Amino acid sequence: MRKRFVSVPVKLLVLVIGALLLLTSIFSYLSLSRLNQEFTQYQSDTLRKGQAQFSVQNNVLRQKILTWLESFSDIVRLKEQADFDVLAQEFAAQFDTLQMNQNVENVWLVSANNEELYLSNAIPKFVQLSIENVLKHQQPEHTLYCEGQCVQLITIPVLNGKGDMAIVAMTVSLVDMIYYINQALDDELAVVSFSRVDKLVSITGNEEAIILADAKFISSTNTQLVSELFMSNQEIVNSEMINFQGIKATANDSSYLINLIPIANTRDDFYYLALIDDATIFTDKYQQNRWQFLIFILVVLIALVIVVHFVASPFTRRLLVLSDVLPLLAKKEFDRFRQTDLQRNGKYIDELDILANAATELSFELEQLNLEIEQKTKELENIAMYDLLTGLPNRNMLNYQLRKAFLNVSRSDGQIAVLFLDLDDFKKVNDSHGHTDGDKLLIQAANRLRSSIRRVDMACRFGGDEFVVVLGHIDNENDAVLVAQEILEAFKEPIKIQNSLFYVSTSIGIAFAPEEMTKSEDLISYADIAMYEAKDDGGAKYHIYHEEMYKKVALRVMMESEVRQALAKNQFSLSLQPQLDAKTKKLYGFEALLRWQHPERGMVSPEDFIPLLENSQHMVELGYWVIRRCFELCQTFIDKGLTDVRIAINLSAGQFADPHLTPYLTDLLNEFSLEASHFELELTEQTLVKNIDSAIEMMNGLRDVGFSFAIDDFGTGYSSLAYLKKMPVDVIKIDKSFVFGMLENRADYQIIMSTIAMVKNLGLQVIAEGVETSAQLRSLTENDCDIIQGYYFSKPIPETKLMEFLDTKIINGYWKVSAL
């Protein structure tokens, strides 16, 4: 007999009905939660409004007094007075009016040397302290002071016509402020105080804990209600409840919410502004709805449990059987799965029967597919785990083996180390001989790497010309260092490719896995960071990772982000330091120095961010901004009549190597209609010797356009006459470190004199940086130094003050003698 099909949705109709009941209960629960949130929000909003009103009215009160004082000063013409006598007389005359109209309780007028000019009363200690603070900082001060009663203390400095200072101090009653807050919020208000209780501190651990019943009332809008709410409440309240939650209280069968806003603290007392809001309607509604929701949810839950139990039992039993046997497919136990009876002996079949039949058929398909996958997996494993060019394990195998190594090390006493290698200047091989020879060189490099490590270690090709060596079960850090030294030694020999010899060194970063490390990516990243430190240190060496390297990288990333924002927000500016002819004092030019006014850290020294960004793209972008700004300033000099002044522009290594530098400079010359002779490009020795041939080619191209060149910080780097003779240099700048000690240190003096003589023999000019004394100037001038730069003449001048400098310090292109 053919079984009839009955859909599972029909069988689960009762479950759907039950689901609707469940949704109803969930809705009820959410409604109750929302009610709780509304009450919490109500508490928070009440406190926030009270705090906002207190702040607004406090500011209004203070501004009202300040406005009155400004008008009063104008009326008595204080700025035309030679002293404060008229002001003191007028205060005495207007004091009663101030008390009536402004609620001013006391006024004091004190001179800058503490002479009492007018006192409405003796000066209290807290007023005297405020007067001293205003005299010290020379700016107004305002504060709420409570001692028995609360007043607003406003202390203001005033100036007479001679520029002498006096201090006006006023205490103002809070009566008007409390009245306006009461009108705005429609709440009852009170100013209350609490004594500090040492016993509560030991109990609660909170210095701001108070007992409501201990309140002392200074003023209130409804004394009877306030007294009942506080005096009948023995609750201990801590600072968290005061600042965020509010306090629930009852009186005369009504519910109230008390919010305490701190207004002042003394050694003995806390002072608060109490906002009392009638929350009776809200709390009654909350309690009623909460009980209704709870009863409704309970009834629905009981009914749902009963219905689901009787209706779902047959289905759940069959589903349990399926859930027990289906995991056998994942375990590849296909025969055992097919031995289980999944059919139901009933009159009708449903989706569960169809699912059981499909699962049986699927078991046959999966068994066949599993056999094919195992075969293909073995074939693909070699491709997925090994580098096709060098035959070394690739990055996938590296991560897999590192994870295994972490597990093994956790069971033993050994250590794991990772060596990250990068071939130095490998790009030059590809550029000069092509990628075919480059690939052959990588194969030879891989072979040397294999021969330099132990059989238990693993060398991998990480990508490009980067390799990673995993050292497992080493006893100490020295074992890894020995391997690194052996690898470096192996790469000292040239690599022969056909008829060419390549001298390729490698930089190595070493990282050791700490005990808690579980991620292979982190260990590789640490070794990578150490490798770049080795490269920055000249290459062909190893560096061991330490935390300061990571901090340096993180700082560089943060600094790059801030530089990008600083460029967008115009936080950079230039300061220009004059350069003068040593003998005639004629203005030779300016050196442009970058300045960064950070909105939070203030002025950031170039020494803090330029070394970090030296080789980044952001430094190149910043360099182009500096160049353009120098062109704009040069145009300003020419408009001022200084037609033979040049600006020295410092170029970073990345800027000088950028192929867009020459066209950019050419475009600026055309845009501003300027001659290249107005600019001197400064380069450090380290920048030039990195690639002398390309540096000379770039310099010759710019020299043809008309730019001149200066070598900055001469004497601190290579200082080789061989490259100095080859390069089209016009100016040599002696580093200030030699100038500082030239008169005290015989060696520094001899270095400077020898450098000047050598440079003059080559037909070049000499600029001495860091000249700060007349003795240094005289000695340099006598020894034929051409140009002087330093604090003796001028510090670097911010561009905003440049015109003022030219007007006051320069006459007809020469330095004013009187300024020296």
Side-chain angles (χ1 to χ4, degrees):
M1 180 178 176
R2 183 180 179 183
K3 294 183 178 181
R4 295 177 59 185
F5 177 82
V6 178
S7 174
V8 170
V10 175
K11 297 177 181 179
L12 296 179
L13 179 61
V14 177
L15 291 179
V16 173
I17 297 174
L20 291 175
L21 293 175
L22 179 61
L23 289 174
T24 303
S25 65
I26 293 174
F27 174 76
S28 300
Y29 171 77
L30 293 176
S31 299
L32 182 60
S33 299
R34 182 176 180 182
L35 197 59
N36 285 327
Q37 292 174 359
E38 287 177 356
F39 185 73
T40 303
Q41 186 63 39
Y42 170 75
Q43 293 174 316
S44 176
D45 289 346
T46 302
L47 178 60
R48 178 177 53 79
K49 290 177 182 178
Q51 290 172 333
Q53 277 297 319
F54 178 76
S55 177
V56 168
Q57 296 302 332
N58 192 20
N59 291 334
V60 168
L61 175 62
R62 182 171 65 254
Q63 192 60 42
K64 181 179 177 182
I65 295 301
L66 291 174
T67 301
W68 181 90
L69 183 59
E70 289 178 3
S71 301
F72 186 70
S73 299
D74 292 339
I75 292 173
V76 303
R77 297 182 177 178
L78 178 61
K79 294 186 178 178
E80 300 177 7
Q81 306 295 327
D83 52 34
F84 297 96
D85 293 343
V86 174
L87 182 63
Q89 293 170 8
E90 291 298 326
F91 268 133
Q94 296 294 328
F95 180 67
D96 291 339
T97 303
L98 277 172
Q99 287 183 309
M100 292 286 294
N101 297 334
Q102 307 292 342
N103 286 323
V104 173
E105 295 190 349
N106 284 292
V107 177
W108 300 274
L109 178 63
V110 180
S111 68
N113 54 6
N114 284 325
E115 179 183 355
E116 298 174 347
L117 303 178
Y118 172 73
L119 306 178
S120 66
N121 206 339
I123 302 178
K125 184 176 181 181
F126 74 94
V127 176
Q128 185 63 43
L129 290 175
S130 179
I131 291 174
E132 291 174 0
N133 283 338
V134 172
L135 284 172
K136 180 178 179 181
H137 301 291
Q138 297 188 6
Q139 62 182 15
E141 182 176 278
H142 55 84
T143 183
L144 282 173
Y145 181 79
C146 294
E147 183 101 25
Q149 64 175 346
C150 293
V151 294
Q152 171 80 280
L153 172 62
I154 302 174
T155 313
I156 312 162
V158 294
L159 299 175
N160 62 13
K162 293 174 62 179
D164 296 332
M165 180 185 292
I167 306 301
V168 178
M170 295 183 177
T171 54
V172 186
S173 172
L174 303 184
V175 171
D176 284 350
M177 184 173 72
I178 292 175
Y179 172 76
Y180 288 126
I181 294 175
N182 174 251
Q183 293 297 310
L185 298 179
D186 197 23
D187 289 343
E188 302 297 343
L189 282 84
V191 178
V192 298
S193 67
F194 298 91
S195 299
R196 295 178 183 267
V197 182
D198 295 336
K199 182 178 180 181
L200 288 181
V201 176
S202 63
I203 295 174
T204 64
N206 191 331
E207 294 184 357
E208 296 188 13
I210 60 175
I211 300 176
L212 294 179
D214 292 344
K216 289 177 271 188
F217 305 104
I218 298 173
S219 63
S220 66
T221 58
N222 189 333
T223 304
Q224 181 178 355
L225 175 62
V226 172
S227 177
E228 290 179 4
L229 291 175
F230 278 83
M231 295 306 176
S232 62
N233 198 330
Q234 295 294 328
E235 182 178 1
I236 298 176
V237 181
N238 58 31
S239 59
E240 180 179 356
M241 186 174 294
I242 293 173
N243 295 329
F244 300 107
Q245 296 181 4
I247 305 163
K248 300 175 186 177
T250 58
N252 300 325
D253 298 327
S254 297
S255 298
Y256 294 89
L257 180 63
I258 304 174
N259 287 309
L260 296 179
I261 301 176
I263 57 175
N265 288 340
T266 65
R267 187 179 65 179
D268 300 320
D269 299 296
F270 301 108
Y271 289 86
Y272 297 94
L273 177 64
L275 303 177
I276 302 168
D277 183 58
D278 189 347
T280 304
I281 296 176
F282 200 97
T283 53
D284 289 347
K285 179 183 176 183
Y286 171 77
Q287 293 294 340
Q288 180 182 358
N289 289 343
R290 185 174 66 174
W291 282 111
Q292 290 177 352
F293 285 144
L294 290 176
I295 294 171
F296 176 75
I297 290 172
L298 182 61
V299 171
V300 171
L301 181 62
I302 294 173
L304 185 61
V305 169
I306 295 172
V307 171
V308 170
H309 174 72
F310 285 102
V311 175
S313 293
F315 304 107
T316 56
R317 284 195 295 269
R318 297 180 64 199
L319 286 173
L320 285 173
V321 174
L322 279 172
S323 65
D324 288 339
V325 298
L326 281 176
L328 296 176
L329 296 179
K331 298 177 182 178
K332 303 178 184 178
E333 299 181 17
F334 305 108
D335 291 337
R336 183 180 169 190
F337 172 82
R338 290 191 286 267
Q339 291 172 1
T340 304
D341 184 11
L342 301 178
Q343 296 293 331
R344 185 185 67 169
N345 297 321
K347 187 176 180 180
Y348 303 102
I349 63 172
D350 56 24
E351 285 88 344
L352 291 178
D353 297 314
I354 295 174
L355 177 62
N357 293 332
T360 302
E361 295 177 5
L362 181 62
S363 68
F364 291 102
E365 296 292 335
L366 287 176
E367 187 173 15
Q368 181 61 33
L369 183 60
N370 182 63
L371 295 174
E372 296 178 4
I373 288 175
E374 288 180 355
Q375 181 180 354
K376 297 296 182 183
T377 299
K378 292 178 181 178
E379 297 174 1
L380 292 173
E381 192 174 53
N382 286 335
I383 298 175
M385 294 297 184
Y386 290 87
D387 177 54
L388 298 178
L389 177 65
T390 62
L392 292 176
N394 61 14
R395 191 180 300 191
N396 295 331
M397 178 66 83
L398 169 65
N399 291 326
Y400 173 72
Q401 293 295 343
L402 268 179
R403 286 194 293 269
K404 285 179 57 178
F406 284 145
L407 293 174
N408 292 333
V409 166
S410 64
R411 305 188 190 104
S412 62
D413 297 329
Q415 252 187 314
I416 297 176
V418 164
L419 279 61
F420 198 106
L421 294 79
D422 185 89
L423 302 183
D424 299 326
D425 298 325
F426 175 74
K427 185 176 182 298
K428 294 180 181 178
V429 177
N430 277 339
D431 293 343
S432 59
H433 291 77
H435 289 276
T436 301
D437 283 355
D439 289 345
K440 293 178 181 178
L441 190 148
L442 288 174
I443 295 172
Q444 294 296 325
N447 292 335
R448 292 194 179 186
L449 194 57
R450 283 193 191 95
S451 62
S452 302
I453 63 176
R454 304 172 300 179
R455 295 187 64 180
V456 295
D457 300 327
M458 182 180 69
C460 305
R461 185 186 180 195
F462 195 74
D465 61 331
E466 297 175 334
F467 299 88
V468 173
V469 174
V470 179
L471 305 178
H473 302 291
I474 59 174
D475 296 328
N476 51 59
E477 294 184 358
N478 190 54
D479 291 345
V481 170
L482 292 175
V483 174
Q485 291 174 340
E486 188 169 346
I487 294 172
L488 292 174
E489 191 67 28
F491 277 89
K492 287 183 179 180
E493 294 296 324
I495 296 176
K496 185 175 182 180
I497 306 296
Q498 295 180 354
N499 296 324
S500 301
L501 289 177
F502 296 94
Y503 288 86
V504 179
S505 60
T506 182
S507 298
I508 304 175
I510 306 175
F512 300 93
E515 293 181 0
E516 69 277 5
M517 176 170 283
T518 58
K519 291 185 178 181
S520 59
E521 296 85 353
D522 292 343
L523 185 58
I524 296 171
S525 175
Y526 294 160
D528 188 19
I529 292 172
M531 182 273 293
Y532 275 104
E533 286 289 322
K535 269 196 179 300
D536 291 342
D537 198 21
K541 55 175 61 72
Y542 68 86
H543 271 212
I544 298 175
Y545 172 81
H546 53 78
E547 289 187 3
E548 290 301 321
M549 292 182 181
Y550 183 82
K551 293 178 181 178
K552 182 178 178 181
V553 172
L555 181 60
R556 181 186 294 117
V557 172
M558 182 194 71
M559 195 66 72
E560 287 178 358
S561 174
E562 291 194 349
V563 165
R564 189 186 307 114
Q565 296 180 26
L567 278 170
K569 297 180 180 179
N570 296 321
Q571 294 173 6
F572 287 105
S573 63
L574 295 183
S575 290
L576 289 90
Q577 188 168 32
Q579 299 171 331
L580 303 176
D581 187 289
K583 296 178 180 178
T584 67
K585 307 303 181 292
K586 182 179 180 182
L587 182 63
Y588 172 80
F590 294 91
E591 180 180 5
L593 303 171
L594 184 62
R595 295 292 182 264
W596 181 5
Q597 182 64 40
H598 195 282
E600 296 176 0
R601 298 200 297 269
M603 186 64 71
V604 182
S605 171
E607 296 177 357
D608 292 337
F609 68 90
I610 287 182
L612 289 173
L613 305 174
E614 182 69 29
N615 298 314
S616 72
Q617 185 59 37
H618 301 292
M619 194 64 208
V620 175
E621 182 181 355
L622 186 56
Y624 281 128
W625 178 89
V626 171
I627 293 172
R628 183 174 187 85
R629 186 69 189 122
C630 288
F631 271 72
E632 294 171 351
L633 292 173
C634 182
Q635 186 67 60
T636 304
F637 291 151
I638 293 175
D639 295 340
K640 191 75 175 175
L642 300 173
T643 57
D644 59 347
V645 172
R646 67 178 61 191
I647 298 178
I649 305 173
N650 291 282
L651 296 181
S652 66
Q655 190 85 62
F656 189 62
D658 187 15
H660 299 99
L661 176 63
T662 300
Y664 182 79
L665 289 170
T666 305
D667 290 343
L668 286 179
L669 291 175
N670 295 331
E671 179 182 347
F672 288 90
S673 300
L674 294 174
E675 298 292 332
S677 57
H678 290 298
F679 303 97
E680 186 174 271
L681 305 180
E682 289 193 7
L683 302 164
T684 63
E685 296 177 69
Q686 289 85 348
T687 298
L688 293 172
V689 300
K690 282 185 176 180
N691 194 330
I692 294 179
D693 294 335
S694 62
I696 292 176
E697 182 180 354
M698 174 71 81
M699 293 174 72
N700 284 330
L702 291 171
R703 187 72 176 270
D704 292 340
V705 177
F707 290 97
S708 59
F709 286 91
I711 296 181
D712 196 11
D713 301 336
F714 188 80
T716 62
Y718 298 86
S719 303
S720 170
L721 284 176
Y723 79 77
L724 191 59
K725 289 169 60 179
K726 293 165 59 178
M727 291 184 176
V729 177
D730 303 277
V731 177
I732 298 297
K733 299 188 71 174
I734 299 176
D735 186 67
K736 60 185 177 183
S737 61
F738 297 108
V739 176
F740 287 159
M742 64 178 290
L743 299 181
E744 293 80 20
N745 189 319
R746 183 68 180 172
D748 285 348
Y749 180 83
Q750 290 298 330
I751 289 173
I752 292 177
M753 298 307 113
S754 300
T755 300
I756 294 175
M758 174 191 71
V759 172
K760 300 296 285 186
N761 286 335
L762 292 174
L764 307 179
Q765 283 188 307
V766 180
I767 296 179
E769 295 182 302
V771 178
E772 296 187 354
T773 66
S774 59
Q776 293 171 346
L777 173 63
R778 184 169 56 253
S779 179
L780 290 166
T781 304
E782 290 173 354
N783 286 275
D784 208 18
C785 180
D786 297 303
I787 310 297
I788 299 299
Q789 176 181 341
Y791 280 19
Y792 181 71
F793 291 106
S794 174
K795 295 181 179 181
I797 306 158
E799 57 181 271
T800 55
K801 298 182 180 180
L802 198 55
M803 293 302 103
E804 179 185 350
F805 167 81
L806 294 175
D807 291 337
T808 57
K809 300 295 184 182
I810 304 299
I811 297 180
N812 296 326
Y814 288 84
W815 187 268
K816 280 189 179 180
V817 176
S818 60
L820 296 178

